[in-house]
Structures are given as structure tokens and as C-alpha cells.
Amino acid sequence: MALNGGADGACENWELTKDMLLEEQSPRKSPKRAVLSLLPSSPPRAVVLLALLLALSFVFLMILILVNIQRVSAMREELERAQLQDKQSHTTAWHNLSEVRRALDTQLSAELQEIHSRLLNVSREVEDVQQKMMQCRAECGKELRDRVRALEERDVLQPALQQLDELRQEQSHISTLLSTALEETQNLTGMFCTRCPAGWQQFDKTCYYFSTEGKSWVEARAACSMLGAQLAIINSELENKFLANNIMEIRAFWLGLSDMQREGDWEWLDGQSLSISFWRKGEPNNVGQHGEDCATISSSGLWNDVTCTSHEAWVCERSC
């Protein structure tokens, strides 16, 4: 019995010890279970928040894109409207310029016809004066020679000889005056240019022809030669302004100027070097694979170097 009692006591002690160990271990395991219980619920909530933020960012981005698209569309419409207005203004301006040019051409044509008629009358009067002076010179010279011959035939004294010398001096003086008058009338005749062909424009003592088609520089030079003229050579600022005023269209006209012989050494067709020039800013620049060796003039009066094979209009000039 004593042995059974000891065995029962030992079993009870073992049970108590086991319970105590289980109680000590149970608190240590409870925090882990709490953490593990939180883990499954946390990730879905964070994913939802992240998705919400992404959705809001996407909506905001789309709003910005739509606003920018609207702004770009408005700016494009405004630009197209401005371009249309600019084109209309340009068209209107050229139409007005054409009307002004037509009115000026009509007015100038009438005035030029009147001036031409007056110049013809003046030219006829000058020719009549020349003929009368020539006739007077011949008659007066004959009369003076007859008087001198008559005085020489007479055997008169000193007064007659003195009179003879005076007559000779008078004859010489009259001849000088007549020669001077003839030269002045010839110069006066040269000042009036009344023989420009139809379709040619007159400036000073030179006639100019403005083509309406395009040719290369060499072909334009040949065309002027067939008309008994040459490509225009500019010798003064007034002549340059005259050519520019007769170029109303947006195009260029060949001049008789090139540097074909030596690059950069620009010469006129008559061999003269440049004494004055009216190059556009940055010109001549000789750009392109084949270079630019021939000169043109535009309605602004400025020159430009162009490839000689380009097809441009041209200006011929010839004397009256």
C-alpha cells in the first residue's frame, strides 16, 4: 500500500508539472497567433488603397490630357484663322497693287503719248532750226565772201582794208556762232528720245524691254541680241529704281551681270567691273552644287545671284 501511495503521488506530481509547462508555453504562443491572424486581413486593404490611388491618378492624367488637347485644338484653329486672314490680306494687297498699276499704266500711257507728241513737235522744230541755220550759214558765208572778193578787187586805201579785216573777223565770228549753235541743237536733239519701239520703256536716252516669259541667262542674252539690244547694265541708282518700279510681279529678271569668268569677280557684259551694287543682304553667296554665277533684280530693287540655268524673265536695253 505504501508503494501504491508513492506511485500515485508521483503520477499526480507529473500531471501537475505537465499542466504547469503547458500553461507556461501557452502565453508565449498567443502573440504569434495574433500576428498571424492580422496578416491575412492587411494585404487586401493596402491593395485597395493602391488601386484607388492609381485610379485617381489615371483620371487626373486623362483630365490633363483632355485639357491640353482642347488647348492645342484652340491654338490650331486660331493659327489657321490667322493664316487665312494673312492669305486674304496678301491677296487683297496684290489685287489693289494690280489695280493701282493698271490705273497708273493707263494714266502714264496717256501722259507718255502726249509727251511723245510734244517731243516729236520739238524734234521737228529743232530740225527746222538746224536746216535754217545751215541755209543761213551757207548764204551768209557766200554773201560775206562776195563782199570780201569785191573789196579785194578794188584798189582802195587803208579804210577799205580795215573794213575788209573787220568783215573777215565778222565772218569768223559768225561761223563760230553757227558751229556752236549747230552743236547745241545736235545735243538738244540727242536729249530727246522719241524712237523707242512699241512695247519698250524709256529712261533717259535708253529703251528697255521687260520680258513676260522665262529663259536661262544664256538664252536671255541671245534673245536680247536678236532684238539689237543686250541684257540691262545698271550705271546709277536712278536706273536701278526705274527697273525696280517696272517689276510689279513676284519674280526676278536677269541682268547683264555674271562672274562666270572668275568666281567673285562680277562683270557687266560690256566688260566693266561693278562701280555700284545693290545686293540683297547675304548675297552673293554662290550656294548649291553648281554655284550661282548670274545676277537678277527683283521688284524691291535688290540683286541676287542665281544658277545661270534657271528660267527667269529678263530685261533688255538699247539706245534710242
Side-chain angles (χ1 to χ4, degrees):
M1 298 219 22
L3 291 172
N4 290 334
D8 292 336
C11 289
E12 290 176 359
N13 291 332
W14 169 251
E15 291 294 332
L16 289 173
T17 303
K18 183 179 179 181
D19 292 338
M20 290 175 66
L21 290 173
L22 290 172
E23 289 177 359
E24 289 178 358
Q25 291 178 354
S26 60
R28 294 178 184 176
K29 294 181 179 179
S30 60
K32 294 182 179 179
R33 291 177 181 176
V35 172
L36 291 173
S37 65
L38 290 173
L39 288 175
S41 61
S42 298
R45 191 176 301 169
V47 171
V48 170
L49 290 174
L50 182 60
L52 181 61
L53 287 175
L54 288 174
L56 290 174
S57 299
F58 179 76
V59 171
F60 182 70
L61 181 62
M62 291 301 294
I63 292 172
L64 287 178
I65 292 174
L66 290 174
V67 170
N68 288 331
I69 290 175
Q70 290 178 353
R71 289 182 179 176
V72 170
S73 299
M75 292 177 65
R76 182 178 297 173
E77 291 177 358
E78 188 66 25
L79 180 61
E80 291 177 352
R81 191 180 300 109
Q83 290 178 346
L84 181 60
Q85 291 179 354
D86 182 66
K87 185 176 181 180
Q88 291 176 350
S89 301
H90 188 72
T91 303
T92 304
W94 276 110
H95 178 72
N96 293 337
L97 282 175
S98 299
E99 293 296 330
V100 170
R101 180 186 180 184
R102 190 177 296 108
L104 288 175
D105 287 344
T106 303
Q107 182 179 358
L108 288 174
S109 177
E111 293 178 356
L112 287 174
Q113 288 180 357
E114 183 179 357
I115 293 173
H116 186 268
S117 178
R118 293 180 180 178
L119 289 176
L120 285 176
N121 294 332
V122 172
S123 178
R124 294 191 189 98
E125 292 178 359
V126 170
E127 291 177 356
D128 292 340
V129 170
Q130 285 181 335
Q131 291 178 359
K132 289 181 180 179
M133 285 186 173
M134 292 292 294
Q135 185 178 359
C136 177
R137 182 178 182 180
E139 292 177 355
C140 292
K142 182 179 180 181
E143 182 180 356
L144 288 173
R145 285 195 298 273
D146 292 341
R147 292 178 64 182
V148 169
R149 190 178 299 109
L151 289 173
E152 287 178 348
E153 289 177 353
R154 296 178 187 175
D155 190 8
V156 295
L157 299 176
Q158 188 65 28
L161 293 175
Q162 185 177 359
Q163 186 178 6
L164 179 61
D165 291 336
E166 291 176 355
L167 288 173
R168 285 176 176 173
Q169 292 177 2
E170 184 179 358
Q171 181 184 14
S172 177
H173 180 66
I174 291 174
S175 297
T176 303
L177 290 177
L178 287 173
S179 298
T180 303
L182 285 173
E183 291 178 0
E184 290 179 353
T185 54
Q186 289 175 356
N187 293 334
L188 181 62
T189 303
M191 291 175 61
F192 297 103
C193 180
T194 60
R195 292 176 227 160
C196 283
W200 292 62
Q201 303 293 328
Q202 180 219 335
F203 175 77
D204 198 8
K205 300 178 184 179
T206 308
C207 301
Y208 297 86
Y209 172 76
F210 296 84
S211 76
T212 56
E213 58 179 331
K215 292 181 180 292
S216 67
W217 189 84
V218 174
E219 293 172 341
R221 181 179 63 182
C224 288
S225 179
M226 292 180 64
L227 295 174
Q230 64 180 0
L231 287 173
I233 296 174
I234 297 176
N235 297 307
S236 67
E237 184 176 1
L238 288 177
E239 185 178 8
N240 194 74
K241 288 182 178 179
F242 166 77
L243 296 180
N245 290 335
N246 281 274
I247 302 174
M248 293 293 292
E249 301 177 2
I250 307 177
R251 60 190 308 184
F253 283 70
W254 288 123
L255 295 174
L257 180 64
S258 71
D259 65 343
M260 289 181 178
Q261 301 298 326
R262 186 170 59 184
E263 179 60 35
D265 187 9
W266 290 88
E267 289 186 350
W268 297 106
L269 283 177
D270 59 0
Q272 296 182 19
S273 299
L274 285 179
S275 57
I276 56 173
S277 62
F278 303 94
W279 293 108
R280 185 178 298 161
K281 186 177 180 180
E283 303 293 344
N285 54 11
N286 195 42
V287 300
Q289 181 180 1
H290 302 289
E292 297 176 330
D293 298 327
C294 298
T296 61
I297 183 175
S298 62
S299 59
S300 63
L302 299 177
W303 303 353
N304 183 28
D305 59 334
V306 180
T307 304
C308 296
T309 55
S310 298
H311 277 223
E312 306 289 351
W314 69 91
V315 186
C316 299
E317 71 171 23
R318 53 171 283 187
S319 300
C320 293

